Each structure stands twice: as C-alpha cells, then as structure tokens.
Amino acid sequence: MATRTIAEPYKIKMVEPIRQIPAEARKRAIAEAGYNTFLLRSEDVYIDLLTDSGTSAMSDWQWAGLMLGDEAYAGSRNFYNLQKAVEEVYGFPYTVPTHQGRGAEHITSQLRIRPGQLVPMNMYFTTTREHVELAGGQYVDVILDEAHDPTSQHPFKGNVDLAKLDQVARERGAETIAYLSVATCVNMAGGQPISMQNLQEVSEWARGHQVAIIFDATRAVENAYFIQQREAGFAGKSIREILRQMMSHGEGCTVSAKKDNLVNIGGFLATRNEDFFEKARGMVVVFEGLHTYGGLAGRDMEAIARGTYEMCEQEYIASRVRQVEYLGNRLRSAGVPIVVPIGGHGVFLDAKRFLPHLSQDLFPAQALCAALYEDSGVRSMERGVVSAGRDKTTGKHNYPKLELVRLTVPRRVYTNLHMDVVAESCIALYQQREQVSGLKMVHEPEHLRFFQARFEPA
Ligand code: P71
C-alpha cells in the first residue's frame, strides 16, 4: 500500500513576510558581514536556516499563556507551572530557570567541576565546552568513531563509546571525572541520536564508577522520536514515556528551551539531587536572577511550560523530523554530499566532499555558507574549523574531522516549498562547486570566535 502524506498538525493563523533581496545586494551584504552569516542582518536573509534555536513559531495556546504572565519578582505562578511541566515530562522534581541554555551550563560547570577535572562528552558543543574550560575542566570526547564519519550509516551515531570511557578511567582515574555530560541528538555530529540501550550501558558504567550523568537534554524529544522509530521495543511507546525513561538514567539535565520546548527564549537546569539544586539556587541569584525566574519574565516561563507539553505530541514531532528528512532526501537524491543518517534538527552539508579543492585552512564550510547566501539569500551556519576554535594549550586551530554547513530547520515556521528553494540552491551550487573559493580569517575573537570572526576572499 502506498504511504499517505502526513501533513502538519496545525494551520497558519498569522504570517510574517519575507523577501529575497537582489543578487547584487546579497553580494554586498555578505562582504560587509565579513563572510560570516552570524553578522548578516536578518532583513537581508530570505530563508533563515542559521539555527533552530529560539526561532520556533509558538502555538495559539502558548501565545495565550503569555497573557497570563505573573510578573511578580518572587514566586510567580508561571514558575510553578514550569516546575510542574518539567517534573511531569522529564521526571526531575527540582527546576532552576535560566535565561537560556548556557546559563544552566555555567551554573552546572561552576558547581560540579574542580580545576583539573575531566568532563567526558559524546562530542563537544561550543558553549558547553567553553563553560567546562572556564571552570578549569577538560573536555574529553567519548563518542563513537562513527560520529566523526559523515558517511557512516550507524542509526545511533550519538552513542557513547564505552571503551573510550574505560580508557579515560584507566589512564586518569575515575575520580578525576567531574561528571559525564551526555547530549541527546548530538548537535555537532549532525543531530544524531543516542540509543536507549547505550544510555542503559552508560548509566551502569557511571554507577559502577560512582560518576554522575548530567544530560544536555536540549534536543531530547527529537532523540526520543528516533528511539521510537529505530530501536527495537519502542515502536508502541509514547514520546513522553521514552523521554522519561531516557532521563531516568541521569541525575539532572541542562536544557536550552529555545529548541525542543518551542519558545523564543529560556532554559533551565533540572535535577533529582537536592543538594545540587540547593547550590544551584544559591548561584542562580548571582548570575541570572531570583530562583523563581532566573532571568526570564513570568510570561516566558509560561510559554516554556506549555511548549514542554506540546513538544511531546506525536503528530508534531513526526512532522517536524520528517520535514528535515524531506530536505535531506532532496539533496541526497541529487548527489549533494550530506551527513547521513539525516539528523533531527537540520541537514548538514559535508563541506570537505562538497569543496574537495579547499584545504581546511581555507575554511571550506565558512566559504560554502557565504556562497549559499550569495546564491539565494538562504542563511546557514558553519560547523567546522571556525567553530572548533583553537587548542587552549598549543594555540593551534582544532581541525575537526567534520567540516559542515548546517541547514537548521526552525520548528513550525517554513513549508516544504521553502525546503525546495533551499535544496535547489544547494544543488545549483554543487553543480558549479569549483567556482567557490576559500577564505582567510582577518579578525578572530578570543572566545567562541565563530560568532564574530571576519573573513576575506583568500
Ligand atoms: C544552535 C544553538 C545556539 C548556538 C549556540 C552557540 C553557537 C551557535 C549557536 C545551543 C545549544 C545547544 C546544545 C546542544 C546548549 C546550547 C546552548 N545551540 N546545548 O544549535 O545546541 O543553549 O543557546 O540557549 O544558550 O544553534 P543557548
């Protein structure tokens, strides 16, 4: 039987006009932005696939919740709604709101890392790693080798390699591990999930070595969807059941609510460890705000609480991930090199295979982002050598195996016709790829350089 189309489980109530500025203007805009898509003005962008972070369309139920914001300095009812939603959906009884994900990462790193300690992670994320290092910790990569290979078809490329964990414990001692930072739908690997079986094994390992697991649960719902679709025994389970089971393996999590939770701003730290919670509550007042708002307005917390329930709806998450898959399949069938399997939040162009004539010193992914913008006004994000930064001790560039351009799909925002426009632009560029030339970096900030670095044609 032919499979039927599954449409988005919503209709559009309000629209925001977008436009494609002329080719000459795009050429000028990207040059003025130092060939860095972070420095473009959003009004000069046609289809914005820079990120899925904070770019979601909220539902009418979430917008209605904004009107119910209780803007009291202390004890806002929306905080209690948020706490309840987090407890019901993730299973953690204690919640500390923060202005966004990195606020929660900051508090976690400062409280849980002593200088010189290690933080093994299933691949780095830029802000997470920066906070670990600012706290005097050292990031150790313990993801499967397959995650660094854009052509490997492994269904759970986000899995932790237990042999790598054992090696860390053997060589450095388990007591040097501050905690295990386990990410869901690993961003830098291309939105690749971790399996429930691997989570179970990692959690047994952690218990045996008396090491805590703290999740980066920023894209845990997308991960739960992949478990439901790909892992034996989960086809009949709901997203909420799977998410709860995933989180049961951790002591707590940090979350950027700007992704899964369908809001434009916000984040939180959640835990079942009362002592950690007490300390986090003590610290949030120094950096974010009182522990019942953490840098957010009451209305923001209400929107997160409501988004936290909506994100688990089966029809929603299926249509979200399928839209990403739609874009990926269009590119793949035209022979454009992308990371496979197609990830949960975006399609990642493999710039090394797309532009084999450019060495990593010529910033191929950065150059490809700029060329894509020039071609169509589509904005993407570099996830390669620029994002990887420099080694803090040697001062040399970190050369990641993955040199990628991320086409990140905002939630509930674009239609598949927009995806067609994006695909056609990538395909056109691929057909004339020899004409894309490299870049040289002319301005390099010290921290998270990719945000504000500037380039010129090499
Ligand atoms: C994304 C972002 C936003 C971003 C951050 C840094 C550089 C470029 C873009 C943010 C994440 C994330 C994960 C797995 C923590 C954060 C920080 N992602 N963990 O992908 O993906 O959250 O932005 O709310 O502070 O575009 P925050």
Side-chain angles (χ1 to χ4, degrees):
M1 203 178 74
T3 51
R4 293 278 189 105
T5 301
I6 297 180
E8 293 80 0
Y10 49 83
K11 56 186 178 177
I12 296 164
K13 191 178 324 231
M14 190 186 284
V15 297
E16 177 182 346
I18 51 176
R19 70 190 176 118
Q20 187 184 45
I21 63 169
E24 267 313 302
R26 297 198 296 271
K27 207 173 156 78
R28 211 168 39 239
I30 194 71
E32 279 170 9
Y35 297 89
N36 183 346
T37 52
F38 279 107
L39 300 178
L40 285 167
R41 285 167 181 252
S42 146
E43 288 194 325
D44 292 337
V45 173
Y46 176 32
I47 298 172
D48 201 349
L49 305 190
L50 182 70
T51 177
D52 62 330
S53 181
T55 53
S56 295
M58 293 204 295
S59 67
D60 51 1
W61 190 54
Q62 286 177 293
W63 278 100
L66 295 189
M67 292 305 292
L68 301 174
D70 169 3
E71 306 306 342
Y73 188 87
S76 159
R77 70 166 163 257
N78 313 110
F79 165 74
Y80 296 102
N81 291 346
L82 172 63
Q83 190 183 47
K84 182 163 173 276
V86 170
E87 181 164 15
E88 286 178 7
V89 172
Y90 295 84
F92 298 115
Y94 306 114
T95 296
V96 180
T98 57
H99 76 286
Q100 56 183 72
R102 69 197 72 179
E105 292 175 343
H106 175 218
I107 292 171
T108 303
S109 302
Q110 290 296 325
L111 289 176
R112 300 298 293 257
I113 302 170
R114 278 181 277 111
Q117 280 192 310
L118 308 176
V119 182
M121 297 186 215
N122 47 348
M123 202 173 265
Y124 81 101
F125 184 71
T126 52
T127 57
T128 324
R129 178 180 185 165
E130 189 79 21
H131 279 299
V132 165
E133 290 173 355
L134 283 172
Q138 193 193 331
Y139 147 81
V140 193
D141 188 17
V142 292
I143 203 167
L144 291 188
D145 283 341
E146 282 87 338
H148 295 280
D149 173 3
T151 63
S152 158
Q153 293 274 4
H154 194 295
F156 291 102
K157 281 165 109 172
N159 281 358
V160 171
D161 186 335
L162 284 130
K164 289 185 186 169
L165 267 185
D166 276 333
Q167 194 184 350
V168 175
R170 221 175 26 246
E171 287 173 4
R172 309 280 295 265
E175 66 288 349
T176 62
I177 298 177
Y179 55 90
L180 297 182
S181 170
V182 177
T184 50
C185 257
V186 181
N187 194 351
M188 302 300 277
Q192 303 295 328
I194 180 167
S195 71
M196 193 71 87
Q197 189 190 333
N198 186 250
L199 273 177
Q200 174 79 38
E201 289 163 6
V202 173
S203 130
E204 276 160 27
W205 188 96
R207 215 169 314 119
H209 292 79
Q210 294 186 322
V211 175
I213 293 177
I214 301 181
F215 284 109
D216 179 341
T218 293
R219 294 185 183 82
V221 174
E222 287 162 9
N223 199 121
Y225 178 74
F226 283 124
I227 289 178
Q228 185 192 52
Q229 300 299 308
R230 294 181 187 166
E231 195 166 348
F234 290 94
K237 294 219 157 72
S238 72
I239 295 295
R240 265 175 79 162
E241 284 173 291
I242 298 170
L243 182 58
R244 274 293 277 260
Q245 189 178 335
M246 287 165 65
M247 293 295 113
S248 72
H249 294 298
E251 181 196 298
C253 65
T254 57
V255 169
S256 166
K258 301 169 74 170
K259 285 80 166 175
D260 271 352
N261 311 67
L262 296 162
V263 293
N264 305 120
I265 194 69
F268 56 88
L269 187 169
T271 180
R272 62 180 100 257
N273 175 342
E274 197 177 345
D275 177 57
F276 178 34
F277 168 64
E278 282 303 333
K279 293 197 171 92
R281 254 182 10 153
M283 187 170 260
V284 77
V285 296
V286 181
F287 293 104
E288 308 274 321
L290 192 71
H291 60 275
T292 56
Y293 76 86
L296 298 171
R299 55 180 173 270
D300 298 329
M301 293 188 285
E302 188 60 32
I304 303 172
R306 293 180 179 212
T308 298
Y309 295 111
E310 283 185 0
M311 70 185 186
C312 298
E313 287 166 12
Q314 183 66 33
E315 295 71 21
Y316 153 70
I317 189 64
S319 82
R320 188 272 184 291
V321 176
R322 276 161 178 252
Q323 183 172 49
V324 175
E325 206 180 12
Y326 174 84
L327 173 61
N329 281 336
R330 280 223 46 181
L331 293 173
R332 191 153 50 169
S333 52
V336 177
I338 62 169
V339 174
V340 290
I342 296 162
H345 66 306
V347 177
F348 292 67
L349 302 176
D350 182 353
K352 279 190 184 170
R353 279 186 296 147
F354 200 116
L355 303 174
H357 57 287
L358 299 186
S359 76
Q360 236 171 337
D361 283 315
L362 291 169
F363 308 109
Q366 191 79 32
L368 188 49
C369 288
L372 184 64
Y373 173 77
E374 270 195 41
D375 182 73
S376 59
V378 169
R379 172 153 70 172
S380 57
M381 190 190 288
E382 194 267 2
R383 298 279 77 170
V385 64
V386 184
S387 295
R390 289 182 187 272
D391 186 295
K392 291 266 190 300
T393 39
T394 66
K396 294 212 165 73
H397 289 307
N398 292 317
Y399 290 98
K401 288 211 181 81
L402 298 178
E403 179 73 23
L404 308 176
V405 167
R406 189 180 72 175
L407 301 164
T408 343
V409 183
R411 296 167 183 79
R412 306 192 292 207
V413 171
Y414 293 113
T415 67
N416 282 3
L417 283 179
H418 292 114
M419 298 301 113
D420 288 339
V421 170
V422 174
E424 285 165 19
S425 178
C426 293
I427 294 165
L429 216 51
Y430 189 59
Q431 283 159 356
Q432 31 171 326
R433 54 195 177 274
E434 311 76 35
Q435 287 166 36
V436 178
S437 44
L439 295 170
K440 63 171 188 274
M441 205 184 319
V442 293
H443 169 68
E444 181 178 352
E446 192 186 336
H447 296 287
L448 301 173
R449 65 181 182 180
F450 52 89
F451 282 128
Q452 287 139 354
R454 299 186 71 85
F455 300 82
E456 280 173 8

